[in-house]
């Protein structure tokens, strides 16, 4: 029962994380690129205030529950859960050391002005965003495969038992 609860928690939290990053990559980034720079900077800076807590929380729950699931399982389920946990940790590291420093620059630019090379820096932020989105999406896919694998009945489960 404990394993199933961990599996559900890891699948749910990783799905939220992948969905958050996916929404950002598919909708927010193109919108950022379509509006005037000043509007993008202001909105981006405000958005990061809100995202800081929720995204970090989803990353922490996803990584911890996936790695705990790995500790409680064996064989292929352990491999899938471990890989998902490491991919979630990778999304955290990409965020922390890639996106967050650039978010700090964006916050400064919103209060002052963007430098001449801002377009290259914003492209780098988008590359980091794509990388963390991919990591979270693959983690979610692995946990989904694990959940489907664990709940799929065996082919012999539906066959009637022959009398002995």
């Amino acid at each position: 029962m404990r394993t199933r609860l961990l599996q559900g928690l890891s699948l749910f939290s990783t799905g939220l994380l992948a969905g958050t990053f996916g929404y950002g990559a598919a909708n927010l980034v193109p919108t950022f690129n379509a509006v005037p720079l000043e509007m993008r900077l202001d909105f981006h800076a405000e958005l990061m205030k809100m995202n800081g807590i929720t995204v970090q929380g989803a990353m922490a729950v996803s990584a911890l529950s996936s790695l705990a699931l790995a500790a409680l399982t064996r064989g292929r389920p352990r491999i899938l859960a471990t890989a998902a946990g490491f991919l979630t940790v990778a999304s955290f590291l990409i965020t922390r050391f890639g996106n967050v420093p650039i978010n700090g620059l964006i916050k400064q630019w919103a209060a002052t002005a963007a430098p001449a090379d801002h377009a290259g820096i914003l492209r780098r932020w988008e590359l980091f965003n794509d990388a963390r989105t991919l990591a979270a999406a693959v983690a979610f896919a692995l946990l989904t495969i694990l959940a489907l694998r664990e709940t799929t009945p065996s082919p012999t489960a539906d066959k009637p038992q022959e009398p002995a």
Side-chain angles (χ1 to χ4, degrees), residues 2-3 6 64-74 77-78 81-82:
R2 182 174 53 185
T3 302
L6 267 175
L64 292 174
S65 61
S66 295
L67 294 172
L69 180 62
L72 293 176
T73 57
R74 301 283 179 260
R78 174 177 273 180
T82 300

Side-chain angles (χ1 to χ4, degrees), residues 49-112:
K49 289 178 190 176
M50 302 302 291
N51 278 358
I53 294 170
T54 57
V55 172
Q56 287 181 37
M59 282 190 267
V61 172
S62 176
L64 292 174
S65 61
S66 295
L67 294 172
L69 180 62
L72 293 176
T73 57
R74 301 283 179 260
R76 186 172 299 264
R78 174 177 273 180
I79 293 167
L80 294 173
T82 300
F86 283 141
L87 284 165
T88 305
V89 170
S91 75
F92 169 77
L93 294 173
I94 293 165
T95 300
R96 177 64 188 97
F97 296 109
N99 296 95
V100 169
I102 297 172
N103 288 343
L105 293 175
I106 290 171
K107 184 177 177 184
Q108 290 174 355
W109 301 344
T112 58

Side-chain angles (χ1 to χ4, degrees), residues 4-15 61-62 65-66 143:
R4 297 292 292 163
L5 289 174
L6 267 175
Q7 186 176 13
L9 180 62
S10 65
L11 184 62
F12 181 74
S13 59
T14 306
V61 172
S62 176
S65 61
S66 295
L143 291 169

Side-chain angles (χ1 to χ4, degrees), residues 28 30-47 106 109-112 114 122:
L28 288 177
T31 303
F32 283 162
N33 292 328
V35 299
L37 179 63
E38 295 75 24
M39 184 182 293
R40 175 198 179 143
L41 299 178
D42 288 341
F43 183 75
H44 193 122
E46 286 300 313
L47 183 63
I106 290 171
W109 301 344
T112 58
L122 292 174

